[in-house]
Amino acid sequence: MMTSKMASKVRQRRVAQLISGGKRLDGRELTDYREVKVEPGFIERAEGSARVRLGKTEVLVGVKIETGAPFPDTPNEGVLTVSAELVPLASPSFEPGPPDENSIELARVVDRGIRESKAIAVEELCIEPGKKVFIIFVDVYVLNHDGNLIDASSLAALAALLNTKMFNYEIKDGEVKIKPGYKPLSIRNYPIAVTVAKINDKLVVDPWLEEEQVMDARLTMTIEKDGNICAIQKGGYGYFTPDQVIEVSKIVRQKAEEQRKLVVKE
Amino acid sequence: NAVTLLQMDGILSGEEFEQAVKMALEGCKQINQIQKEALRAKYSVAKEAETEKEVEAGEE
C-alpha cells in the first residue's frame, strides 16, 4: 500500500509539472477535450437514453416519463427531476448507499443546466392543470470514473432528452390512456456544461482523473444555445482569481459550441 | 482577491457575467469594511466598559 501511495505522489507531481509547462500527460493541449463518443438510444426500454464516453469516463443516462401531481406553485407545468448514481463499479472511491454529496452535486449541476435553459417545454407537459402533469425522470449512472463526470453526464443527459419519445395519449374518465404512436419530447435549448480545472495557475479544460487529484479547484459553466451562461458551479478547496473566472467564461463559451455539435445535428 | 465560492442560476450573457463579477468583487470589499468596523465598534465599547469596572473595583 505504501509503495502505491508513494508512486502516485510522484505521478501527481509529474502531472502538475507538465501542466506548468503547458503540456498534459496524454498529449492534449490545455483546452482540448478527450475523444467523445455519444450513443443515443442505448436502452430500448426507456423513453430516452444515451451513453457517453469521454475518454475512459463512461456515463449512461435514462429518461423515463411518468404522470403525477404538479408542484403547487407551477400547476400548469410538468416536472423535471434529475438524479445521479455513482455506481461502485465505476471507481474504488464509490461506496454503495444513499447518494453522497458528490452524486447530489452532479445531479444538481446537470439539473440546473436543463432547468435554467428551459430546454424542456414544461408547459406542454400539462395533462390536467393543478392535478396531473408529466414527470420527466432523468437518471444519470456513472459507469466509469476517469475524471470530469459533470461534462460527460450533462452531455449524456442532453443526448438522452433529444432521444426521448413521448407516447400519444388521451384523457378518458380522468385517466391517462396511452394511444399508439410517439412523438419526440419537445426540446428547445441545448445546454452544454464545460468544466475547467485550475492546476498551478494554469486553466485546464476537461480534467481527467489524475488531473482532478492535483487540481486546486474547478469551475463548471453551462452554456445555452445562444451563448449565455445558465449555470455556474465552483468546486474544490482552492480558489480562482476574478480575472481567471472571467477567462474561464471566455474559454467555456467557445468550447461549448464545439461540444454541442457532437450531440445536436443541424 | 480569491474567489472561493461561486454558483449561479438563471441566464447571463458573457458581458453581463463579467459585469456581475466586478460588482460582486466591489460588494465583497464593502462588506469586508463593514465587518471590520463592526468588530472595532464592538471591542472599543467593551474595552471602555472594562476600564470603568476596573476603576470601580480599584476604588472599593
Side-chain angles (χ1 to χ4, degrees):
Chain A
M1 285 301 268
M2 197 52 184
T3 344
S4 65
K5 217 173 158 184
M6 291 296 284
S8 103
K9 275 260 179 280
V10 167
R11 190 136 155 116
Q12 281 179 14
R13 271 228 314 263
R14 187 80 188 111
V15 167
Q17 252 173 6
L18 278 173
I19 290 189
S20 292
K23 296 210 178 302
R24 297 167 86 165
L25 208 61
D26 56 3
R28 280 189 279 161
E29 295 297 324
L30 297 187
T31 54
D32 279 347
Y33 261 92
R34 288 167 284 175
E35 192 189 353
V36 179
K37 290 203 180 80
V38 180
E39 293 159 279
F42 201 72
I43 309 271
E44 285 158 27
R45 312 266 285 148
E47 272 75 78
S49 65
R51 176 172 79 161
V52 162
R53 278 176 290 184
L54 175 58
K56 291 205 200 123
T57 291
E58 190 176 330
V59 173
L60 180 61
V61 171
V63 177
K64 290 291 282 177
I65 305 184
E66 306 276 327
T67 58
F71 284 115
D73 56 342
T74 51
N76 301 327
E77 287 179 14
V79 173
L80 165 70
T81 163
V82 180
S83 74
E85 192 172 328
L86 303 181
V87 176
L89 86 85
S91 162
S93 59
F94 295 166
E95 296 291 319
D100 71 341
E101 59 185 41
N102 292 314
S103 70
I104 293 177
E105 187 189 26
L106 182 59
R108 290 189 63 154
V109 176
V110 171
D111 176 294
R112 222 184 265 155
I114 301 169
R115 193 182 298 275
E116 299 295 329
S117 64
K118 302 201 182 356
I120 303 178
V122 285
E123 341 59 71
E124 291 178 19
L125 299 177
C126 183
I127 301 170
E128 215 187 310
K131 297 240 182 77
K132 229 186 190 115
V133 296
F134 283 111
I135 305 183
I136 313 271
F137 288 90
V138 175
D139 298 316
V140 177
Y141 295 94
V142 174
L143 300 179
N144 197 38
H145 176 23
D146 200 35
N148 202 3
L149 299 178
I150 295 178
D151 292 6
S153 302
S154 140
L155 208 59
L158 181 58
L161 284 169
L162 286 169
N163 173 250
T164 298
K165 294 188 276 288
M166 279 280 290
F167 36 80
N168 287 327
Y169 68 96
E170 60 180 357
I171 317 259
K172 246 192 182 146
D173 310 320
E175 285 293 306
V176 175
K177 296 273 182 272
I178 299 180
K179 288 179 357 186
Y182 293 94
K183 60 176 195 257
L185 180 62
S186 192
I187 302 291
R188 290 180 308 203
N189 207 330
Y190 314 110
I192 299 281
V194 176
T195 298
V196 177
K198 190 178 97 149
I199 301 177
N200 289 353
D201 265 334
K202 296 276 187 199
L203 299 174
V204 173
V205 170
D206 183 28
W208 66 294
L209 192 61
E210 295 196 25
E211 286 169 350
E212 284 187 349
Q213 284 160 355
V214 301
M215 69 185 176
D216 301 319
R218 60 166 158 80
L219 197 49
T220 302
M221 297 194 185
T222 307
I223 311 291
E224 51 92 61
K225 68 176 171 31
D226 296 323
N228 296 317
I229 308 172
C230 61
I232 300 182
Q233 179 84 355
K234 179 217 168 256
Y237 296 113
Y239 66 89
F240 287 84
T241 65
D243 284 335
Q244 284 171 338
V245 170
I246 297 193
E247 206 195 319
V248 167
S249 75
K250 296 193 166 106
I251 295 172
V252 164
R253 277 154 71 211
Q254 193 213 320
K255 296 310 282 187
E257 270 208 51
E258 296 169 19
Q259 290 297 100
R260 189 171 292 118
K261 297 195 176 109
L262 296 167
V263 170
V264 183
K265 312 295 172 195
E266 292 307 311
Chain B
N1 273 3
V3 177
T4 53
L5 177 68
L6 181 58
Q7 272 191 358
M8 183 213 129
D9 288 336
I11 309 255
L12 280 179
S13 74
E15 294 74 33
E16 285 166 350
F17 176 62
E18 291 186 27
Q19 219 187 335
V21 170
K22 295 191 171 102
M23 287 170 80
L25 205 55
E26 198 35 55
C28 286
K29 287 185 182 148
Q30 288 181 15
I31 294 178
N32 188 238
Q33 271 307 105
I34 298 174
Q35 279 177 328
K36 284 187 191 152
E37 271 151 46
L39 282 171
R40 265 185 224 124
K42 166 159 171 91
Y43 284 109
S44 62
V45 166
K47 186 95 201 260
E48 280 171 26
E50 273 259 328
T51 329
E52 277 180 26
K53 270 203 199 144
E54 279 173 16
V55 168
E56 282 179 30
E59 283 171 9
E60 278 164 23

